[in-house]
């Protein structure tokens, strides 16, 4: 199977800082740039000898794929890893010549399904899938993201099923950029994000599963599109995940109350309480939670730990106080958090070490001194669309920005100032779903406690 190759090519989605475990997935990956004219005939001879019968030379690419997929298991089981991998490399070389995306997608699906069909030699099968992905990425003729996403989904599914998901962790952070680069439609975006969320959930990685579940739900934030009733349970699952980990949502600046999926829960008879608790965690204080939970949480919130909710509400209530005062007496903090005055300093330190605020404590005057870097008086994420969106700019007129201006550009600027964070799904001022953002670009809306008091998140309190 003489084929001239260039040096091993890592999975094209890999970042420059990919971990060794991620790189190991594709260390044997090659791209065929020249092929011996007799390679296909020799391949057919090898496959035939492996399965114990003479095989005809395929008349075209479709027949070639059919032959290889029919004998995939036998080839992998009965030949050396290098021979099996080489056979598929020759097939992928021919596949690169296919210029019809619809045909390519069909053939790629057939190849992926055949490789996914058994867990025997799972590392080899995953490596061959990576080679297929690389062949499609390297070739500009088969540039359709719809074709590539088929292979990427197969890689993710197979890695999860065979316990090799950790080998792909270096690539998951790049999925947002791939969605944009490949110009995936909403259906493919939803399939991709939901599949990744499910894989992480199956591995017990709840935080990563929640991250991609929210990405899935965000694809329904399309103007004029109502949230489908068939996905209400998924929306409720995402909301409960946010309720269980509100601090993560706060730090990641998720604007959950502005998402169509979450808004859809508000008036639902079954899921309405989930929305209300999330709203309290987002914009309320401990007293609001205590009123809501009086007599116990509703059955639909049975998976929520009430004690953890109280703990989180105290931390988030400290953030709310920061939006109202620059200097807060210990007594006010104690009353808001429903704790003895003697515990105030402990809660201030807890809030700072949770990276929620930046503050100092004056023990002589018994006051907490907040040190805001961002405007502390607008709660952008609580209303309207994503921060900087046309709807959000209009809402900023209503809530009156800090300087009293009603100029939309100024309002957008104030909103942007609070939420310049690393991009996850937002690029050049445009979300993958098409939602318009401000001229600043690279913005991600926040969990609606609008004044996360500092991006200079210090890990300790300064006692005066």
């Amino acid at each position: 199977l003489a084929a001239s190759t260039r040096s091993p090519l890592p999975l094209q989605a890999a970042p420059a800082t990919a971990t060794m475990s991620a790189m190991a997935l594709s260390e044997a990956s090659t791209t065929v740039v020249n092929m011996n004219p007799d390679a296909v005939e020799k391949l057919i001879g090898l496959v035939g000898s492996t399965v114990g019968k003479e095989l005809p030379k395929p008349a075209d690419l479709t027949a070639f794929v059919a032959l290889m997929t029919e004998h995939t298991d036998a080839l992998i089981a009965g030949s050396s890893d290098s021979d099996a991998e080489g056979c598929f490399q020759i097939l992928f070389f021919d596949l690169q010549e296919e210029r019809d995306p619809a045909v390519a997608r069909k053939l790629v699906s057939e190849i992926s399904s055949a490789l996914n069909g058994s867990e025997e030699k799972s590392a080899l099968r995953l490596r061959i899938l990576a080679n297929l992905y690389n062949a499609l990425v390297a070739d500009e003729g088969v540039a359709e993201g719809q074709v590539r996403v088929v292979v990427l989904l197969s890689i993710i599914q197979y890695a999860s099923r065979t316990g090799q998901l950790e080998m792909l962790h270096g690539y998951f952070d790049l999925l947002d950029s791939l969605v944009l680069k490949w110009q995936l439609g909403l259906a493919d975006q939803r399939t991709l994000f939901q599949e990744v969320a499910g894989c992480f959930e199956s591995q017990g990685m709840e935080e990563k599963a929640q991250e991609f579940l929210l990405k899935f739900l965000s694809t329904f934030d399309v103007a004029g599109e109502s949230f489908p009733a068939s996905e209400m349970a998924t929306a409720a699952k995402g909301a409960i995940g946010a309720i269980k980990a509100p601090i993560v949502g706060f730090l990641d600046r998720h604007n959950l109350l502005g998402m169509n999926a979450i808004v859809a829960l508000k008036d639902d008879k079954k899921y309405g309480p989930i929305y209300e608790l999330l709203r309290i965690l987002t914009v309320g204080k401990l007293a609001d939670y205590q009123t809501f939970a009086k007599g116990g949480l509703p059955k639909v919130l049975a998976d929520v730990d009430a004690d953890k909710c109280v703990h989180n509400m105290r931390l988030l209530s400290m953030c709310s106080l920061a939006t109202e005062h620059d200097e807060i007496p210990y007594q006010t903090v104690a009353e808001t958090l429903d704790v003895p005055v003697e515990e105030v300093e402990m809660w201030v330190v807890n809030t700072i070490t949770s990276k929620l605020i930046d503050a100092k404590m004056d023990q002589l005057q018994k006051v907490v001194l907040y040190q805001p870097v961002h405007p502390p008086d607008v709660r952008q994420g609580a209303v309207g669309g994503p921060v900087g969106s046309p709807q959000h700019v209009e809402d900023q007129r209503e809530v009156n920005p800090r300087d009293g201006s009603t100029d939309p550009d100024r309002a957008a600027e104030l909103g942007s100032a609070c939420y310049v964070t690393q991009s996850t799904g937002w690029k050049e001022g445009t979300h993958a779903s098409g939602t318009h953002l401000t001229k600043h670009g690279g913005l991600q809306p926040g969990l609606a406690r609008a004044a996360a008091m500092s991006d200079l998140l210090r890990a300790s309190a300064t006692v005066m």
Side-chain angles (χ1 to χ4, degrees):
L1 297 177
S4 143
T5 65
R6 57 183 178 220
S7 59
L9 181 69
L11 205 63
Q12 294 296 307
T17 56
T19 62
M20 288 302 294
S21 61
M23 295 298 290
L25 170 64
S26 53
E27 62 186 14
S29 173
T30 57
T31 298
V32 178
V33 294
N34 251 315
M35 190 168 66
N36 188 313
D38 299 328
V40 174
E41 290 184 9
K42 292 182 178 180
L43 181 155
I44 300 304
L46 175 63
V47 175
S49 64
T50 301
V51 300
K53 63 180 179 180
E54 186 174 347
L55 299 173
K57 183 177 180 180
D60 53 27
L61 178 60
T62 299
F64 192 4
V65 170
L67 183 147
M68 289 293 289
T69 55
E70 179 183 355
H71 301 297
T72 290
D73 291 345
L75 178 61
I76 289 177
S79 59
S80 68
D81 287 5
S82 59
D83 278 349
E85 195 169 356
C87 287
F88 278 98
Q89 281 297 104
I90 294 171
L91 174 63
F92 300 160
F93 179 81
D94 276 10
L95 184 62
Q96 287 179 326
E97 301 301 312
E98 178 56 59
R99 291 298 181 265
D100 186 334
V103 173
R105 181 164 186 161
K106 178 178 179 295
L107 297 178
V108 164
S109 295
E110 292 172 0
I111 296 169
S112 299
S113 295
L115 290 166
N116 250 315
S118 170
E119 295 184 12
E120 182 182 8
K121 292 190 176 182
S122 61
L124 173 62
R125 289 172 182 266
L126 188 60
R127 192 162 65 244
I128 294 173
L129 282 168
N131 292 348
L132 174 56
Y133 175 89
N134 290 344
L136 296 173
V137 170
D139 179 63
E140 292 304 317
V142 187
E144 295 295 326
Q146 291 182 348
V147 178
R148 294 173 181 171
V149 78
V150 169
V151 187
L152 185 57
L153 282 169
S154 289
I155 290 173
I156 293 169
Q157 291 164 352
Y158 193 70
S160 176
R161 195 171 86 240
T162 57
Q164 303 179 80
L165 195 62
E166 71 280 356
M167 299 179 72
L168 305 179
H169 284 185
Y171 307 106
F172 287 122
D173 290 341
L174 299 179
L175 289 187
D176 287 326
S177 61
L178 291 179
V179 164
L180 292 168
K181 181 179 179 181
W182 295 347
Q183 299 180 341
L184 292 185
L186 288 177
D188 281 326
Q189 289 182 48
R190 289 165 184 167
T191 299
L192 179 60
F193 290 142
Q194 195 167 34
E195 185 64 41
V196 174
C199 287
F200 278 124
E201 183 178 17
S202 70
Q203 301 296 314
M205 304 173 67
E206 293 184 3
E207 187 173 322
K208 294 297 291 185
Q210 174 70 4
E211 175 188 341
F212 282 92
L213 179 57
L214 292 181
K215 290 180 188 294
F216 166 75
L217 294 175
S218 73
T219 64
F220 293 95
D221 291 339
V222 180
E225 180 177 313
S226 58
F227 188 74
S230 60
E231 295 291 351
M232 288 292 284
T234 306
K237 182 178 180 180
I240 289 177
I243 288 169
K244 289 180 176 180
I247 308 304
V248 173
F250 179 94
L251 295 175
D252 289 345
R253 308 296 198 268
H254 289 311
N255 177 26
L256 298 179
L257 296 185
M259 294 174 63
N260 288 345
I262 303 303
V263 172
L265 301 175
K266 182 178 180 180
D267 298 321
D268 187 85
K269 184 176 180 180
K270 179 179 180 180
Y271 298 121
I274 297 176
Y275 174 90
E276 180 59 18
L277 180 53
L278 181 59
R279 186 195 67 78
I280 291 170
L281 282 161
T282 303
V283 298
K285 294 182 182 177
L286 179 61
D288 301 310
Y289 172 79
Q290 290 172 330
T291 299
F292 173 83
K294 189 176 182 180
L297 294 174
K299 288 183 179 180
V300 73
L301 292 164
D303 290 339
V304 174
D305 187 320
D307 291 336
K308 286 186 178 180
C309 269
V310 171
H311 177 86
N312 289 327
M313 280 305 310
R314 286 186 170 128
L315 295 176
L316 295 170
S317 294
M318 287 292 298
C319 298
S320 290
L321 287 174
T323 69
E324 302 164 2
H325 312 278
D326 293 331
E327 183 176 305
I328 307 174
Y330 279 21
Q331 185 61 42
T332 301
V333 176
E335 292 172 358
T336 302
L337 273 56
D338 192 22
V339 297
V341 173
E342 293 76 19
E343 294 184 11
V344 166
E345 291 183 359
M346 178 193 73
W347 282 101
V348 173
V349 171
N350 286 346
T351 310
I352 293 172
T353 55
S354 295
K355 300 183 178 181
L356 295 174
I357 63 171
D358 189 19
K360 296 179 180 180
M361 292 178 287
D362 187 333
Q363 292 180 316
L364 295 178
Q365 299 297 321
K366 298 291 183 182
V367 295
V368 180
L369 305 172
Y370 286 98
Q371 298 179 311
V373 172
H374 302 311
D377 57 342
V378 279
R379 292 178 151 193
Q380 292 95 317
V383 290
V387 173
S389 69
Q391 179 60 47
H392 178 257
V393 170
E394 187 64 28
D395 289 328
Q396 289 293 24
R397 291 174 183 254
E398 298 172 8
V399 299
N400 193 15
R402 185 177 188 181
D403 64 352
S405 169
T406 57
D407 177 72
D409 289 336
R410 175 61 175 153
E413 182 179 349
L414 286 174
S416 302
C418 287
Y419 293 99
V420 178
T421 65
Q422 69 178 21
S423 174
T424 52
W426 306 82
K427 181 181 180 183
E428 302 296 332
T430 305
H431 185 269
S433 66
T435 305
H436 179 67
L437 297 182
T438 68
K439 59 186 178 183
H440 296 274
L443 306 181
Q444 184 172 340
L447 187 66
R449 292 177 185 276
M453 295 306 300
S454 174
D455 281 341
L456 306 174
L457 298 172
R458 298 177 185 146
S460 62
T462 302
V463 179
M464 300 180 66

